[in-house]
Amino acid sequence: MMRLFAVLVLFFPVPAAAQETIQRVPGQMQRPSVEVPRGETPPGPVDEAFAAFQQGRYLTAFHLATARAEQGDRAAMTLLGELYFHGLGIVRDYARAAEWYRLAAARGDRDAAFALAILTAEGSGVDRDPVAALALFEQAAAAGHVQAAYNAGLMYLEGVSGSPDPVAAAALFERAAEAGNADAMYALAQLARAGRGIDSDQAKATRLLVAAAEKGLIDAQVEAAIRLFRGEGTAPNEAEAVRLFRLAADRGHAIAQNRLARLLFVGRGAPRDPTEAAKWHMIARGAGLRDTYLDHELILLTRAEREEAERRMRAWLLRALE
């Protein structure tokens, strides 16, 4: 009877916080990285500026890029925008960054259009103008910029240009997801799950969440694990659910820690391991996720099991602080 109860609680009396799905749509815009993409960089003198940039010789890169930008080189203009945007070798100046990005974007540089869209969306160095930012993201996306497609999708979901447009958002997320963007995979999965902007497709939602999980997106790891365990949009796979829960738990996700503890206490998807289960429960509880069922399981541990669980918990916490 106790064993039956332990199996049932996996599906029903889960703490409220652990019942929540993450659903990060709309999400957070992706921003330019410090590394300048070089796909559009022509051969010749501008390569010297990019080489200096990659080597951390930012002031040299600034002087070399300035000379090339004055001759109309759009890649050099984008590089100058990056130097001003990040404050590398020179004082950070969003207004000057925007000037260079605008010149490069007008000449068709997709990275410049993307960066200028970020500044315009945030009102950094230029007047805040979400509609203009969306147009710039779409310009960059049309030229193949993956992050721009994702950001434009978010803005359509938020209704920046009027009413929310999940159909346009889904199309942009699809494009970015096909190019391997994990956040876009996650966003598109949420739309497919809800049938918003695209037809409801639970199998597609699960496939996308699993793909995003494999790319390391922690929220996707948790949601994919839940769907795999329940068999939502796919055949149940408890072992794979445990693997994904473990990945997210080890990265500090309290819901994953709670779910993993429950599975390990009853031996679902992995051999029963009450000591390891207790470790994860105590870690999740320390993060504020309470669970009376798991508290009861702690009481049933032997003294040796409890002490070992506490030792493992301390070791994990120390490693997490490193």
Side-chain angles (χ1 to χ4, degrees):
M1 185 67 179
M2 176 61 76
R3 177 69 174 181
L4 176 60
F5 172 75
V7 172
L8 289 176
V9 295
L10 286 169
F11 297 94
F12 297 108
V14 182
Q19 291 175 349
E20 297 172 1
T21 52
I22 291 81
Q23 299 178 23
R24 295 187 301 108
V25 180
Q28 185 175 11
M29 280 191 183
Q30 297 180 350
R31 294 173 58 84
S33 62
V34 176
E35 182 177 356
V36 177
R38 298 187 60 190
E40 299 182 11
T41 305
V46 74
D47 274 340
E48 298 175 11
F50 276 91
F53 180 92
Q54 298 292 357
Q55 294 164 10
R57 297 185 294 117
Y58 301 123
L59 191 56
T60 299
F62 174 79
H63 291 304
L64 291 170
T66 298
R68 293 295 301 172
E70 290 173 350
Q71 299 176 36
D73 192 307
R74 71 183 187 187
M77 292 173 183
T78 301
L79 179 55
L80 287 172
E82 291 292 290
L83 292 168
Y84 277 115
F85 184 96
H86 296 289
L88 300 172
I90 53 178
V91 176
R92 173 175 281 175
D93 188 331
Y94 289 139
R96 294 297 300 277
E99 291 173 7
W100 285 115
Y101 286 144
R102 185 174 290 106
L103 289 170
R107 288 164 172 77
D109 191 292
R110 68 185 188 187
D111 297 313
F114 173 70
L116 181 59
I118 292 290
L119 292 175
T120 305
E122 297 177 345
S124 299
V126 295
D127 291 337
R128 183 175 180 275
D129 188 340
V131 175
L134 175 57
L136 285 163
F137 280 134
E138 290 195 284
Q139 175 186 330
H145 198 292
V146 176
Q147 292 173 300
Y150 170 72
N151 286 358
L154 290 182
M155 297 187 83
Y156 272 114
L157 273 186
E158 293 167 355
V160 166
S161 60
S163 300
D165 188 344
V167 174
L172 287 158
F173 289 148
E174 187 89 55
R175 189 188 311 174
E178 289 175 354
N181 186 285
D183 283 308
M185 293 173 185
Y186 183 93
L188 187 61
Q190 299 299 341
L191 297 182
R193 179 188 59 78
R196 186 182 178 205
I198 55 175
D199 292 337
S200 175
D201 189 335
Q202 301 308 311
K204 180 173 184 174
T206 300
R207 287 196 305 272
L208 286 164
L209 286 170
V210 170
E214 294 301 338
K215 286 184 169 293
L217 193 63
I218 191 168
D219 289 344
Q221 289 171 345
V222 177
E223 289 201 42
I226 291 171
R227 292 178 71 88
L228 287 168
F229 182 83
R230 294 174 176 170
E232 295 179 354
T234 186
N237 190 333
E238 295 183 2
E240 184 64 8
V242 166
R243 184 184 74 85
L244 291 175
F245 276 138
R246 200 184 298 275
L247 287 174
D250 203 44
R251 294 171 63 191
H253 199 293
I255 293 176
Q257 293 162 352
N258 173 269
R259 292 295 177 93
L260 180 59
R262 282 173 167 257
L263 292 172
L264 293 176
F265 261 126
V266 298
R268 298 286 297 272
R272 186 172 186 273
D273 189 341
T275 302
E276 186 72 3
K279 177 195 84 172
W280 288 118
H281 169 52
M282 289 187 288
I283 293 171
R285 187 173 63 180
L289 191 56
R290 307 291 300 183
D291 190 322
T292 54
Y293 160 68
L294 293 179
D295 287 340
H296 176 72
E297 289 292 325
L298 283 183
I299 297 173
L300 301 179
L301 295 180
T302 66
R303 180 176 179 178
E305 288 173 332
R306 177 66 180 252
E307 290 177 349
E308 175 61 16
E310 290 174 346
R311 185 194 68 77
R312 295 182 189 181
M313 175 190 67
R314 289 191 296 270
W316 185 89
L317 291 172
L318 286 172
R319 189 173 71 253
L321 291 174
E322 293 176 353

